Amino acid sequence: MRCLGILIVASISLAMATLMPMPKHPPLNGYEMHLKVLLQKILWAANVKRCFGVITDDLHYPIYDRVFFESVGRQVIPFFVMRANASEDLQRPTKQVELYKAIKSSDCELNVITILNGWQVQRFLNYIYDSRALNMQKKFVLLHDSRFFESEMIHLWSVFIGAIFLKRQLDNKYTISTIAFPGILSGVLVTKNIADWELGKGVNGRILFADKTSNLFGTSLPVAISEHVPMVLWANATKSFQGVEVEIMNSLGKALNFKPVYYKPNQTETTNWELDAAAYGAGNPEQNGTHIDSMLVDEVADHSARFAIGDLHQFQVYLKLVELSAPHNFECLTFLTPESSTDNSWQTFILPFSAGMWAGVLLSLFVVGTVFYAISFLNALINGNVSAEFFRCLRRNRTVPMDPQIYRRISFRIAISRYRPSKGDRMPRDLFDGYANCILLTYSMLLYVALPRMPRNWPLRVLTGWYWIYCILLVATYRASFTAILANPAARVTIDTLEDLLRSHIPPSAGANENRQFFLDANDEIARKVGKKMEVIGYSDDLTSRIAKGQCAYYDNEFYLRYLRVTDESGSALHIMKECVLHMPVVLAMEKNSALKPRVDGSIQHLAEGGLISKWLKDATQHLPAEALAQQEALMNIQKFWSSFVALFIGYVIAILTLLAERWHFRHIVMKHPMYDVYNPVLYYNFKRIYPQH
């Protein structure tokens, strides 16, 4: 289709040239005739292959007749012609935009601009520079005018190096000059005469359109940098900057023979740029513009630096202000988030069993204790020696209340004090005759504590043996599960997707407004929700501590997030989200329409194909581990042993509470009993042995 379009343009152009009403034009004067011959020779020497464009005014329009177009090439060459009015403002074109697009899309090698009004040409060149309507790296032929070389045009000619100027001398002779490059990169705008022409002489295309970018003759070029791992970082050992992009710039300096001069921009003098959102890619129609706050872009856009490095991403919004190189790397952009752990070390001794299992163990403790008590009671009932202690709490109190006057009788108190139980009154009691003993002994067997002695009755002995087997199996299971808990790491609670980040309610943050705008313009609904919550923050010393506290989640490339995690001195648990939000191209920034862009892109491609960029990236990130070092999980440390202190503390608390309860019972119940005598405490206890119900 492109070739077809060019052929159509060629046929139309030739037809127009053939049908030009030659007799209607007045004959050319000496100036026009000599300029026509010179342009013909320049076009022939330029060896145009695809097409060329002509932008002229009414004065020079008669030059471009059929003879002119037939004599400029060795074959039929498509061309574009635009005739500008003398009063037309070429910096604000209306109808000519489509023609400019056609010239640029056809990749025409040469553009001839023969407009006598220098102010008009100056505004036209500014329009080309700002809008990129034409490719400024192509060849241009212009009529010399002193207004082209004013101080505000120096940034334009520093990139518009393929232009030659035709300056008319006496006797219709011409001096052909061009911009002195790379001298203009030092801030000095000087033209260089490359040829003198007069009628009958030829021109050398190699001299007129010589390659100026292959050798910069050791010119010092300022390079604005911003420290950002792994692209740019300061090495204290060598007192110099290192990193992937520093190595790339040094290689470019050797390839193009220039000396990069690195400097850090003054952060207090940055400029904020507001761009039209509809024109430069902001997809949200509710916003009036896109805000750029990159310090490096400011330096290059203000022409303070020729290059800018520091992990710049390929945002289309930057192209309004600067030129971006071909990507030299693709970075995984993700979030640095806080990491929480399920390390409940104080529960280590209860974790081997689940809550249901512990409930079953406690239930079996009381059930087995009750069975021991019931068998002991049945055995006493069969042998006919049932004690009054059995099920005392379940029996109804049928005793007649004792007269309080009896407590005061001296004879009664003397008799109680002299009471000594006889051997016949002492009934032999077994281990499990009391319910409290049943629970206590059952619990002790569960802890591998031997009984004081074996029960006297065989049914209790048999039940004790089987219960010992149950205790052995239960304890073996507990030990196996406990060992597994010590050997395995505690589960980590991490944020690995954007959905997890939204559910965590941790506010996302980024270091540049362009990153936030990317999320807002995304097609994914979840990404847009993240963008609405995202805050733009600068780097601060407490950034990692804020992330660890859950105050924010920081968005940047994976290697820089590794650097933040490694340099965190607080020892906080930080986690890099495993899901890459996107793989963003990383580029170098150059001046807008920079003449060095083709050379830079070619050199970057050669460095990438040779594996040097990958090698430099590996060297810059070798001290940044992808994951945090795993701890020795099989080692029993004080943190894991903390649960034993918790259990000991609980035991102390229960013991103290029991002691207080006993003290309360003694002061409010025992000491208030009528039979209690502080000087004869045996009186009360003998009374309780004889009359336990009172």
Side-chain angles (χ1 to χ4, degrees):
M1 294 298 295
R2 179 180 175 184
C3 296
L4 179 61
I6 294 176
L7 291 176
I8 293 175
V9 172
S11 60
I12 294 175
S13 303
L14 290 176
M16 292 176 59
T18 304
L19 297 176
M20 281 184 180
M22 296 294 296
K24 294 183 180 180
H25 290 292
L28 300 177
N29 56 31
Y31 162 72
E32 295 172 346
M33 183 189 66
H34 286 79
L35 180 60
K36 177 180 179 181
V37 175
L38 176 58
L39 291 176
Q40 289 176 338
K41 292 184 177 295
I42 291 176
L43 288 173
W44 183 273
N47 193 19
V48 178
K49 299 293 184 181
R50 286 183 290 272
C51 60
F52 66 94
V54 174
I55 302 173
T56 186
D57 54 10
D58 294 335
L59 176 64
H60 298 91
Y61 184 71
I63 294 177
Y64 305 102
D65 55 6
R66 184 187 63 184
V67 177
F68 176 86
F69 291 108
E70 288 178 350
S71 61
V72 298
R74 300 170 178 82
Q75 57 185 356
V76 178
I77 301 174
F79 59 89
F80 300 87
V81 178
M82 188 192 83
R83 183 176 180 178
N85 297 325
S87 60
E88 187 175 359
D89 187 1
L90 297 182
Q91 194 168 2
R92 297 176 181 177
T94 54
K95 300 179 181 180
Q96 298 88 348
V97 175
E98 295 299 327
L99 178 64
Y100 299 152
K101 291 181 179 179
I103 295 175
K104 186 175 182 180
S105 61
S106 300
D107 197 19
C108 295
E109 299 102 319
L110 180 66
N111 295 286
V112 179
I113 303 175
T114 53
I115 298 178
L116 192 62
N117 189 342
W119 175 84
Q120 200 174 19
V121 177
Q122 184 183 32
R123 294 181 63 82
F124 175 63
L125 294 178
N126 284 324
Y127 168 74
I128 296 176
Y129 180 86
D130 293 335
S131 64
R132 294 187 175 91
L134 298 178
N135 190 346
M136 300 187 72
Q137 311 310 321
K138 300 300 181 179
K139 305 169 185 176
F140 282 80
V141 179
L142 301 97
L143 299 179
H144 188 279
D145 195 299
S146 60
R147 286 171 288 187
F148 294 167
F149 310 106
E150 297 176 355
S151 58
E152 61 268 15
M153 296 288 289
I154 187 171
H155 68 275
L156 188 144
W157 296 118
S158 64
V159 298
F160 210 170
I161 63 174
I164 60 174
F165 307 98
L166 309 181
K167 185 176 182 181
R168 183 186 179 189
Q169 304 293 343
L170 298 176
D171 300 331
N172 288 324
K173 297 180 181 179
Y174 284 87
T175 299
I176 304 176
S177 61
T178 186
I179 298 297
F181 190 88
I184 192 174
L185 297 179
S186 301
V188 180
L189 179 55
V190 178
T191 58
K192 176 184 178 181
N193 295 336
I194 54 177
D196 293 320
W197 182 86
E198 59 182 338
L199 190 63
K201 292 182 61 176
V203 293
N204 190 340
R206 294 182 179 181
I207 298 178
L208 297 183
F209 303 105
D211 184 11
K212 303 177 182 179
T213 59
S214 60
N215 187 354
L216 302 185
F217 302 99
T219 304
S220 297
L221 299 183
V223 181
I225 63 171
S226 176
E227 292 187 51
H228 203 279
V229 178
M231 299 305 163
V232 179
L233 62 154
W234 176 259
N236 291 323
T238 59
K239 301 297 180 181
S240 61
F241 289 102
Q242 296 181 357
V244 178
E245 291 183 343
V246 175
E247 296 291 345
I248 293 176
M249 284 303 306
N250 293 337
S251 299
L252 290 176
K254 294 179 180 178
L256 304 181
N257 192 14
F258 70 88
K259 181 181 179 181
V261 180
Y262 303 106
Y263 77 97
K264 297 180 67 173
N266 188 355
Q267 299 184 6
T268 61
E269 298 180 357
T270 56
T271 304
N272 292 329
W273 303 85
E274 295 288 345
L275 303 181
D276 181 32
Y280 298 103
N284 191 352
E286 298 179 359
Q287 293 187 346
N288 296 326
T290 300
H291 176 72
I292 293 181
D293 53 9
S294 174
M295 180 174 54
L296 298 177
V297 174
D298 296 344
E299 288 294 309
V300 179
D302 290 338
H303 310 289
S304 300
R306 303 296 177 183
F307 290 91
I309 59 176
D311 200 28
L312 281 173
H313 294 155
Q314 194 178 36
F315 290 110
Q316 293 300 315
V317 69
Y318 289 164
L319 292 176
K320 175 61 180 177
L321 303 173
V322 297
E323 203 73 45
L324 301 179
S325 69
H328 61 79
N329 195 12
F330 290 86
E331 289 181 335
C332 169
L333 299 185
T334 184
F335 284 92
L336 182 63
T337 60
E339 176 184 311
S340 60
S341 175
T342 58
D343 184 17
N344 41 7
S345 299
W346 64 275
Q347 298 179 351
T348 303
F349 282 92
I350 64 175
L351 286 177
F353 287 164
S354 63
M357 186 67 178
W358 279 117
V361 171
L362 295 177
L363 181 62
S364 67
L365 175 66
F366 287 98
V367 169
V368 174
T370 304
V371 171
F372 272 111
Y373 188 66
I375 292 177
S376 180
F377 171 73
L378 292 176
N379 186 74
L381 186 63
I382 293 173
N383 295 333
N385 55 356
V386 179
S387 173
E389 297 294 329
F390 282 108
F391 300 102
R392 184 175 61 180
C393 60
L394 299 179
R395 297 177 183 177
R396 297 178 61 184
N397 189 6
R398 299 178 181 179
T399 58
V400 179
M402 186 175 293
D403 188 2
Q405 298 295 330
I406 298 177
Y407 295 131
R408 299 187 180 94
R409 293 177 182 177
I410 297 177
S411 59
F412 179 76
R413 300 174 75 90
I414 293 174
I416 294 299
S417 298
R418 294 176 178 179
Y419 171 76
R420 297 292 184 272
S422 61
K423 293 183 179 180
D425 295 335
R426 298 175 182 174
M427 298 180 61
R429 300 189 61 185
D430 207 348
L431 291 175
F432 298 99
D433 286 352
Y435 190 74
N437 285 339
C438 291
I439 299 300
L440 183 61
L441 294 175
T442 304
Y443 176 68
S444 65
M445 285 190 288
L446 192 61
L447 298 179
Y448 276 9
V449 178
L451 296 176
R453 59 178 177 82
M454 289 298 293
R456 294 189 181 92
N457 302 314
W458 276 102
L460 294 175
R461 292 185 177 185
V462 174
L463 181 59
T464 300
W466 285 106
Y467 184 68
W468 270 112
I469 296 177
Y470 163 79
C471 292
I472 293 172
L473 295 176
L474 186 66
V475 172
T477 304
Y478 178 87
R479 287 178 176 177
S481 180
F482 185 76
T483 304
I485 291 175
L486 294 179
N488 295 323
R492 299 187 303 172
V493 180
T494 59
I495 299 174
D496 289 317
T497 61
L498 291 179
E499 292 85 350
D500 295 341
L501 182 61
L502 288 176
R503 286 193 294 267
S504 67
H505 300 290
I506 298 176
S509 60
N513 188 71
E514 292 78 15
N515 291 321
R516 179 177 181 272
Q517 191 66 40
F518 169 80
F519 282 92
L520 293 175
D521 297 340
N523 296 325
D524 185 60
E525 182 180 358
I526 296 177
R528 289 196 299 270
K529 291 181 179 179
V530 173
K532 292 178 181 179
K533 296 182 178 181
M534 181 172 287
E535 301 175 356
V536 179
I537 62 175
Y539 176 79
S540 59
D541 295 335
D542 62 340
L543 178 60
T544 53
S545 62
R546 291 181 57 193
I547 297 174
K549 295 176 182 177
Q551 298 178 358
C552 67
Y554 193 69
Y555 177 75
D556 213 302
N557 73 76
E558 179 185 4
F559 300 111
Y560 184 71
L561 299 182
R562 291 186 193 178
Y563 169 76
L564 291 180
R565 186 175 60 187
V566 170
T567 55
D568 180 26
E569 298 178 355
S570 62
S572 305
L574 301 176
H575 174 71
I576 299 176
M577 196 169 75
K578 293 183 179 180
E579 180 184 70
C580 288
V581 178
L582 79 160
H583 288 84
M584 177 65 79
V586 187
V587 295
L588 310 180
M590 297 169 283
E591 287 185 288
K592 190 175 181 179
N593 301 300
S594 175
L596 300 177
K597 177 176 168 54
R599 294 284 182 181
V600 171
D601 291 346
S603 298
I604 289 176
Q605 182 178 359
H606 294 158
L607 293 174
E609 292 174 352
L612 290 177
I613 296 180
S614 299
K615 190 262 183 185
W616 294 331
L617 180 62
K618 184 178 180 180
D619 293 341
T621 60
Q622 61 182 355
H623 63 287
L624 303 176
E627 294 292 340
L629 298 177
Q631 58 179 347
Q632 297 179 1
E633 301 297 341
L635 181 63
M636 186 64 179
N637 52 23
I638 191 65
Q639 184 178 7
K640 294 181 180 179
F641 198 69
W642 184 249
S643 60
S644 63
F645 296 104
V646 174
L648 186 61
F649 175 76
I650 294 175
Y652 282 152
V653 171
I654 295 176
I656 292 173
L657 293 177
T658 305
L659 178 62
L660 295 177
E662 289 183 352
R663 182 63 178 173
W664 181 89
H665 179 270
F666 180 77
R667 292 180 61 88
H668 295 81
I669 296 179
V670 175
M671 293 181 67
K672 291 183 179 181
H673 196 275
M675 293 300 295
Y676 179 77
D677 187 356
V678 66
Y679 300 105
N680 188 14
V682 179
L683 180 64
Y684 169 78
Y685 295 107
N686 286 344
F687 176 79
K688 279 297 183 179
R689 292 189 184 97
I690 300 173
Y691 305 102
Q693 301 299 327
H694 293 279

